[in-house]
Amino acid sequence: MSAQAPLLFQSREARLGALDALPRTLWLGALTQAQGRLEPRLAALVALRSALVGGRVPPAADWCWPSPELIAALCETFAELDLPAYCTGRQELSDVVVQSLLFHLDFIPDYRDRGATDARATRMAIEAFGSDWQNRRGQMDELMEVFGKLPDDGKNARWDLLPGLLKSEGWREVLRIRRLLERLPELAECIRRLGRARLSDERDDASRSQVEVMDSAVARHTEQRTVRVPDMPGETRGVHRADRIARMLPAESVLLGHPALRLVWHARRAERTLLCYEDDDRMTEVRHVDAPVLRPRPDPQPDRRLEMGPLLVCVDTSGSMQGGAGEVAKAVVLEAVRTAHAQGRACHVFAFGGTGEVVDMQIGVDAEGIGRLIHFLGQGFKGGTDICGPLEKSIACLEQAAWRMADLLIASDGEFGATPELVARLDDAKRALGLRVQGVLIGDRETIGFLEVADHIHPVRDWRRYGDGARGSDSPVHTHRLTALYFPGALRTAENRDATVSGEVASAAVRAGLRRGQPLPADLLPPEPSSDDPTS
């Protein structure tokens, strides 16, 4: 069989074989780059990209492109910026680093055309690359500070949009809320426990199942046994050797009539070897015995807690949530997004106000999701409170397969009430789907409305300390004269001072049997204090 003839352009295309290991976004830059020859350049880019994804930089001796001066400068720059640590396991970010490197190295001929020497042009390109990634590294550090890790690597991630978002005023608000979370560590633990996608090692005391437990016990039972009573008249069972004359066989008694064999008979009797009938009696004995036993009993045992599922977050944005309460509510949303992103979970946020004022957002950590989060955390809260809208949307989400294992988190001051029909639907979802509703109470007291919908309520009692005075008062009272309004006699004013009598006058009126409004007789009035009385 003859060998297959080579293709027409196979030898020429073999030079480009390294492109198969590079993404298409790098093809143009790799092919048109001005530095070095094509084959070494492609091989070096493949090795560099693979090394960055693996969290390292190839040693200078393994680089076959570009020039030795550039290789030494690039190795130093990569080590100084610690770029491999950011690119570990992130192919898209590694591609952006390689693409940026090709972009900046393309400017070396332009720097030369402007009069720079070769060394100066090389240094300018490396400095521009380092300065660019110094800024980007600062942005990535901010993203990691807020979200725990860099944005998702999905195809919709827009790294070119992130710098603009991170310079906005809204991002400053996100950083401020992130610092607030450091003072509320209990929120992170509360949100982490939500979801029902997998079993945890913790016990869930709220969920118990009946389990058969074997307990040690002592039981008394009846035991029967047959006791043999030897040598008692009873059943003849056979022949055996003994010394019982009454049961001796007739052949043995013949020996007694013989003068010589008589002595043999006496010897055999002494030796208990006479042939005798074997008979005995057997009796049945019944007795009661105490014995240890294992007794099964049904016992409710706590199940293992479920966690790590999708998150449904309903956050109150009514007017009563202004100030410190609103800041804590924003912190709840940010922590939910951070937890979902760090653990690979979906997060859907429902911001609700008055009737029909429900904004639902599925927030992911990419450029678009960060933009939505910045917009939400930067807005003020106002309007009424209607919990029915977000609860209906949450129940509708639970009917979808992607959200079947989700738990619901409600962050509010509790000043709401759901309709009985909606509460019944929520209870049905709890029974049928295992839904758990966690409440974050950002207020001073639990309300009936909150207790009806939430299985467990986590209170944030010191919410006032997180408020910003410039955003409005955090005082829970609507006026500083609350005492004067509801307890008018508690404050000393001219009006109530004139209407107040001393204890002596009140005692005299009681002794006289006077009622309210009746004047006190003059003889019962206390004497007027003199002008020289120091106590007047």
Side-chain angles (χ1 to χ4, degrees):
M1 184 175 181
S2 60
Q4 184 177 2
L7 299 177
L8 181 60
F9 298 104
Q10 185 174 2
S11 61
R12 295 180 179 273
E13 291 179 351
R15 301 177 58 197
L16 306 178
L19 288 176
D20 294 336
L22 293 175
R24 284 188 172 270
T25 55
L26 296 179
W27 282 14
L28 180 60
L31 291 172
T32 61
Q33 224 286 323
Q35 299 293 320
R37 296 174 56 248
L38 178 62
E39 292 88 345
R41 180 167 68 246
L42 295 180
L45 292 177
V46 171
L48 176 60
R49 178 178 179 271
S50 177
L52 288 176
V53 175
R56 60 185 180 84
V57 178
D62 295 342
W63 289 57
C64 55
W65 171 89
S67 63
E69 295 80 8
L70 277 172
I71 292 174
L74 286 175
C75 288
E76 182 180 351
T77 302
F78 275 105
E80 181 181 351
L81 296 175
D82 197 19
L83 287 180
Y86 293 90
C87 297
T88 303
R90 307 186 68 86
Q91 294 186 0
E92 185 169 340
L93 182 57
S94 301
D95 295 342
V96 174
V97 172
V98 175
Q99 194 172 23
S100 174
L101 176 62
L102 294 173
F103 172 79
H104 285 286
L105 293 183
D106 264 337
F107 278 95
I108 292 180
D110 294 341
Y111 297 146
R112 292 172 182 165
D113 293 342
R114 298 173 189 172
T117 61
D118 291 346
R120 175 62 179 166
T122 299
R123 187 166 61 254
M124 291 173 65
I126 297 299
E127 290 176 354
F129 173 78
S131 177
D132 183 13
W133 280 97
Q134 184 69 35
N135 294 333
R136 295 198 186 195
R137 194 183 70 163
Q139 296 164 2
M140 290 188 290
D141 288 340
E142 286 188 1
L143 290 170
M144 293 180 67
E145 177 189 357
V146 173
F147 300 112
K149 65 177 185 178
L150 294 177
D152 296 324
D153 277 336
K155 61 181 181 181
N156 294 325
R158 298 292 306 276
W159 287 91
D160 54 334
L161 296 180
L162 288 178
L165 289 174
L166 301 186
K167 293 180 181 178
S168 64
E169 199 61 35
W171 180 251
R172 302 299 105 189
E173 178 71 8
V174 174
L175 292 178
R176 189 182 65 81
I177 298 298
R178 173 65 186 92
R179 288 189 290 270
L180 172 60
L181 279 174
E182 297 176 357
R183 301 159 61 187
L184 294 167
E186 63 276 5
L187 284 182
E189 179 64 21
C190 174
I191 294 173
R192 183 192 64 81
R193 297 163 64 88
L194 295 176
R196 293 169 286 113
R198 76 178 189 190
L199 290 172
S200 67
D201 295 331
E202 300 179 11
R203 295 291 185 181
D204 187 5
D205 292 330
S207 175
R208 292 176 175 264
S209 59
Q210 296 292 332
V211 180
E212 275 199 353
V213 179
M214 306 301 289
D215 286 342
S216 297
V218 176
R220 172 168 292 187
H221 61 91
T222 302
E223 186 180 86
Q224 292 185 355
R225 67 172 183 171
T226 300
V227 181
R228 180 188 176 194
V229 183
D231 300 334
M232 288 292 292
E235 178 184 1
T236 299
R237 304 181 59 85
V239 177
H240 71 138
R241 294 187 180 276
D243 61 347
R244 294 181 61 197
I245 298 177
R247 304 300 295 163
M248 182 178 62
L249 267 62
E252 296 291 346
S253 61
V254 173
L255 298 178
L256 290 175
H258 195 280
L261 297 180
R262 182 177 181 182
L263 296 177
V264 175
W265 182 89
H266 283 288
R268 293 175 65 178
R269 182 191 177 197
E271 295 173 355
R272 303 173 64 92
T273 59
L274 293 174
L275 293 176
C276 302
Y277 291 108
E278 180 185 6
D279 57 357
D280 57 17
D281 195 8
R282 297 179 181 269
M283 300 177 60
T284 301
E285 182 183 40
V286 179
R287 61 175 183 170
H288 299 286
V289 179
D290 293 338
V293 296
L294 294 177
R295 182 177 58 187
R297 64 176 175 86
D299 189 31
Q301 295 290 328
D303 296 331
R304 291 172 61 188
R305 185 176 181 83
L306 294 169
E307 63 179 13
M308 294 293 291
L311 298 175
L312 296 173
V313 182
C314 296
V315 56
D316 189 353
T317 60
S318 61
S320 60
M321 295 290 290
Q322 292 183 7
E327 300 300 302
V328 176
K330 293 176 181 179
V332 170
V333 174
L334 180 57
E335 183 59 33
V337 174
R338 292 181 72 249
T339 303
H341 175 61
Q343 300 175 349
R345 305 156 68 181
C347 180
H348 205 117
V349 178
F350 301 96
F352 65 94
T355 304
E357 298 177 349
V358 181
V359 179
D360 54 348
M361 307 169 287
Q362 186 168 351
I363 300 180
V365 181
D366 52 18
E368 185 178 354
I370 293 175
R372 288 196 295 266
L373 181 64
I374 289 175
H375 174 71
F376 172 77
L377 297 182
Q379 67 183 1
F381 293 171
K382 59 183 178 179
T385 307
D386 179 26
I387 192 63
C388 296
L391 288 183
E392 289 178 351
K393 291 182 176 291
S394 300
I395 295 174
C397 277
L398 291 170
E399 297 173 354
Q400 305 175 18
W403 299 92
R404 191 65 55 86
M405 295 298 176
D407 276 343
L408 178 60
L409 176 68
I410 302 176
S412 173
D413 57 0
E415 300 295 335
F416 60 76
T419 62
E421 295 79 7
L422 191 56
V423 173
R425 288 180 58 192
L426 194 63
D427 292 338
D428 292 340
K430 294 178 182 178
R431 287 190 296 268
L433 303 176
L435 172 68
R436 298 176 301 193
V437 182
Q438 170 72 48
V440 177
L441 175 62
I442 315 171
D444 298 315
R445 65 187 185 278
E446 297 173 345
T447 62
I448 297 299
F450 218 155
L451 293 172
E452 284 181 340
V453 299
D455 300 322
H456 181 267
I457 297 178
H458 172 75
V460 182
R461 300 297 189 190
D462 55 346
W463 52 272
R464 294 181 188 85
R465 58 186 292 203
Y466 305 115
D468 185 356
R471 296 171 179 266
S473 175
D474 287 329
S475 174
V477 300
H478 61 278
T479 172
H480 66 283
R481 297 186 179 276
L482 183 65
T483 303
L485 179 63
Y486 292 102
F487 305 97
L491 299 180
R492 302 302 295 169
T493 62
E495 293 79 5
N496 61 30
R497 188 179 294 111
D498 294 339
T500 303
V501 298
S502 64
E504 294 83 359
V505 174
S507 299
V510 170
R511 289 192 300 269
L514 300 178
R515 296 184 177 275
R516 182 182 180 89
Q518 294 180 351
L520 193 67
D523 58 340
L524 296 179
L525 289 175
E528 291 290 337
S530 60
S531 57
D532 56 350
D533 188 358
T535 62
S536 61

